[in-house]
Amino acid sequence: MNTNKENNSSSFEIKVYTTKELRQLYQVPYRTFERWIKPYKQAWGIEKKRQYLTIKQVRLIVEQFGVPGEIDLNKN
């Protein structure tokens, strides 16, 4: 029997994450993730001292880099 929760277990949820949690979802090392977001940190309001990324910041990261675990083969 498939429940709604089982069907959505592999979907990504936009919520508050730490940078560590988010980079683990993207399955990239710390340095790679930092290189990805470095050009956007100021515009997105990402501060080094802040422990969590806001929902808005997570949404911006996902819009820029795609949903973790999904590959867009049409992207250059």
Side-chain angles (χ1 to χ4, degrees), residues 30-54:
Y30 170 81
R31 293 182 90 181
T32 301
F33 188 77
E34 285 297 311
R35 196 173 1 186
W36 284 0
I37 65 171
K38 185 178 179 180
Y40 307 101
K41 278 187 168 186
Q42 186 176 8
W44 293 348
I46 298 173
E47 298 173 17
K48 193 168 192 157
K49 296 177 184 177
R50 191 177 243 169
Q51 189 172 5
Y52 292 94
L53 296 168
T54 65

Side-chain angles (χ1 to χ4, degrees), residues 5 10 14 17 21 25 29-30 36 38-39 48 52 66 68:
K5 187 175 182 179
S10 63
I14 299 286
Y17 288 98
E21 291 170 331
L25 289 169
Y30 170 81
W36 284 0
K38 185 178 179 180
K48 193 168 192 157
Y52 292 94

Side-chain angles (χ1 to χ4, degrees), residues 1-12 70:
M1 181 172 138
N2 287 338
T3 64
N4 203 14
K5 187 175 182 179
E6 289 174 3
N7 291 337
N8 292 329
S9 63
S10 63
S11 66
F12 177 74
E70 291 185 5

Side-chain angles (χ1 to χ4, degrees), residues 9-23:
S9 63
S10 63
S11 66
F12 177 74
E13 181 180 357
I14 299 286
K15 64 177 190 170
V16 175
Y17 288 98
T18 64
T19 54
K20 181 179 180 179
E21 291 170 331
L22 199 53
R23 75 174 172 79

